[in-house]
């Protein structure tokens, strides 16, 4: 047994064999499993040899990335290579790319195998997975949710933005991946629940200032904007609307 602290470098078990990792959370005991996925083992603390191997792998990944880009250009393939990972034991390279369609990369793989002398895997991923792997900072100023804690992507629709009365300007509701921001799902159910207590858009209501129609909701504050018969707009609390 060995003691682990935050920042310790360790050799861990992965789906692809042994890997090099860094401790981000100290070990804790807990009774129930929060996931059905099997827990991976930590084999040992990394030694100087392991650290040298990791550094060599990083250098080899950069060289492989540059060479693959040259091959892609030479073959005229329509693909966006954005990451290369070399297994810790050095027997395999995985090339991650995005593309609008299917790519025939058989000739590319032959060139890579001949040059690198290792097993090659080409993995096409979606644009959201690219953002998750590359990471970054969102418009909120925090690390991208997909890179920080999201395990899987939930469906996001423009209706969620409408329900929350957000601007439908694509540049304001899209993430770095160019797709609708994942955080649009976080408060969607809350807005749906709150809006059930509000009069529908277009409904005729009576206010202290006269009759009018509801044109906007402020669900968080439990208020609505009403356009009066004379054309003036007022915002009022729902409990201040008069009953017919």
């Amino acid at each position: 047994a060995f003691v682990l602290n935050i920042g310790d470098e360790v050799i861990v078990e992965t789906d692809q064999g042994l890997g090099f990792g860094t401790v981000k959370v100290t070990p804790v005991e807990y009774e129930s499993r929060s996931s059905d996925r099997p827990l991976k083992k930590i084999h040992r603390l990394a030694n100087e040899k392991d650290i040298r191997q990791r550094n060599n792998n990083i250098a080899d990944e950069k060289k492989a990335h540059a060479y693959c880009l040259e091959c892609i250009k030479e073959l005229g393939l329509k693909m966006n290579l954005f990451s290369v990972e070399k297994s810790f034991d050095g027997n395999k390279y995985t090339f991650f790319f995005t593309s609008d369609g299917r790519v025939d990369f058989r000739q590319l793989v032959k060139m890579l195998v001949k040059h690198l002398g290792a097993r090659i895997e080409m993995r096409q991923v979606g644009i959201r997975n690219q953002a998750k792997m590359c990471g970054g900072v969102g418009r909120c100023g925090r690390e991208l949710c997909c890179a920080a804690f999201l395990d899987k992507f939930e469906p996001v629709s423009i209706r969620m933005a409408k329900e929350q009365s957000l601007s439908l300007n694509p540049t304001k509701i899209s993430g770095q991946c160019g797709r609708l921001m994942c955080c649009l799902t976080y408060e969607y159910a809350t807005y749906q629940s709150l809006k059930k207590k509000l009069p529908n858009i277009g409904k005729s209501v009576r206010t202290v200032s006269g009759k009018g129609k509801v044109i906007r909701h402020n669900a968080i504050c439990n208020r609505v904007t009403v356009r009066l018969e004379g054309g003036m707009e007022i915002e009022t609390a729902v409990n201040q609307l008069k009953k017919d």
Side-chain angles (χ1 to χ4, degrees):
F2 45 86
V3 177
L4 296 176
N5 299 303
I6 294 177
D8 286 348
E9 294 172 321
V10 293
I11 303 301
V12 298
E13 177 185 301
T14 72
D15 294 333
Q16 306 297 326
L18 295 182
F20 189 100
T22 304
V23 177
K24 293 297 183 182
V25 179
T26 53
V28 294
E29 292 185 6
Y30 56 98
E31 297 179 356
S32 60
R33 292 266 296 276
S34 58
S35 173
D36 294 331
R37 293 182 299 178
L39 297 177
K40 301 297 184 182
K41 295 181 180 179
I42 295 179
H43 281 257
R44 55 182 170 80
L45 289 168
N47 54 39
E48 292 185 4
K49 182 179 178 181
D50 297 323
I51 295 174
R52 286 197 301 270
Q53 178 66 39
R54 190 274 307 267
N55 293 335
N56 291 336
N57 286 348
I58 292 175
D60 290 343
E61 288 170 353
K62 292 180 180 179
K63 295 176 182 177
H65 187 277
Y67 179 74
C68 188
L69 288 178
E70 293 177 4
C71 295
I72 291 172
K73 184 177 180 180
E74 179 181 339
L75 297 173
L77 299 177
K78 295 182 179 179
M79 55 190 292
N80 173 37
L81 178 73
F82 67 87
S83 181
V84 179
E85 289 184 3
K86 183 180 181 182
S87 61
F88 184 69
D89 59 14
N91 292 328
K92 178 182 176 182
Y93 286 85
T94 303
F95 294 80
F96 296 90
F97 70 96
T98 60
S99 176
D100 292 334
R102 298 189 65 179
V103 179
D104 184 356
F105 46 71
R106 288 174 294 181
Q107 184 60 34
L108 174 62
V109 171
K110 291 179 181 179
M111 297 170 70
L112 293 173
V113 169
K114 182 178 180 181
H115 182 77
L116 299 173
R119 290 191 297 125
I120 302 298
E121 178 182 354
M122 305 299 297
R123 187 174 299 180
Q124 183 174 355
V125 302
I127 192 70
R128 288 192 169 187
N129 291 94
Q130 179 184 5
K132 179 180 179 65
M133 293 178 64
C134 295
V137 177
R139 61 179 64 253
C140 58
R142 299 176 64 89
E143 182 181 5
L144 297 180
C145 293
C146 57
F149 61 86
L150 290 182
D151 290 328
K152 60 181 181 178
F153 295 104
E154 300 291 342
V156 187
S157 68
I158 195 69
R159 181 178 179 181
M160 294 179 176
K162 292 181 179 178
E163 191 75 8
Q164 298 171 69
S165 302
L166 298 174
S167 168
L168 299 184
N169 184 335
T171 61
K172 294 185 177 181
I173 57 176
S174 298
Q176 288 192 1
C177 60
R179 302 292 190 265
L180 292 173
M181 294 189 295
C182 293
C183 57
L184 294 180
T185 64
Y186 298 169
E187 299 177 2
Y188 178 55
T190 299
Y191 273 85
Q192 284 184 308
S193 176
L194 292 175
K195 284 193 171 185
K196 290 180 180 179
K197 305 173 185 178
L198 304 179
N200 294 330
I201 300 292
K203 180 178 177 60
S204 296
V205 295
R206 291 178 59 198
T207 72
V208 293
S209 302
K211 292 184 178 181
K213 289 187 177 181
V214 177
I215 61 172
R216 280 191 301 275
H217 289 154
N218 186 341
I220 297 296
C221 297
N222 200 35
R223 299 172 68 86
V224 294
T225 300
V226 178
R227 179 178 289 125
L228 302 177
E229 292 179 341
M232 183 173 69
E233 296 181 7
I234 64 170
E235 185 177 288
T236 180
V238 173
N239 58 15
Q240 291 182 347
L241 296 176
K242 296 183 177 181
K243 297 182 180 180
D244 292 330

